[in-house]
Amino acid sequence: IFGQALKAARDPANENPDLAPRILISMGEAQSSLDQYAAGQKSIRAALALRRAQHGDNSPETARALEARGLNRHVAGEFPAA
């Protein structure tokens, strides 16, 4: 389901550039809840890169992606990196 949603979000006809990062964060959170931490981290990193490109480093959108990355690292037991 996430794959189909992400494909639609990346479609050039999509007029909401924030949709792909939102889907990637949700996908990363779901993967982490299934103990797939590496996959979750990959999805969240992709979302963070998109958010930084779209909004810069000092935005609420980028902060949300950073929060998701920290939470993923925390639940994975990577406390110093979180």
Side-chain angles (χ1 to χ4, degrees):
I1 293 174
F2 281 116
Q4 292 172 347
L6 190 55
K7 184 178 177 181
R10 289 181 169 161
D11 186 309
N14 174 33
E15 295 182 10
N16 184 354
D18 198 46
L19 188 57
R22 283 179 163 188
I23 292 168
L24 285 164
I25 289 172
S26 294
M27 190 164 80
E29 290 171 343
Q31 290 164 320
S32 295
S33 72
L34 297 170
D35 296 335
Q36 298 174 0
Y37 304 115
Q41 196 60 234
K42 183 179 177 182
S43 297
I44 293 168
R45 274 195 315 266
L48 179 58
L50 287 171
R51 291 269 172 96
R52 281 185 166 147
Q54 292 169 348
H55 303 286
D57 284 331
N58 297 317
S59 73
E61 293 84 2
T62 301
R64 171 66 182 105
L66 287 167
E67 175 190 24
R69 184 179 70 174
L71 182 58
N72 174 275
R73 287 179 171 176
H74 178 79
V75 298
E78 299 175 18
F79 302 113

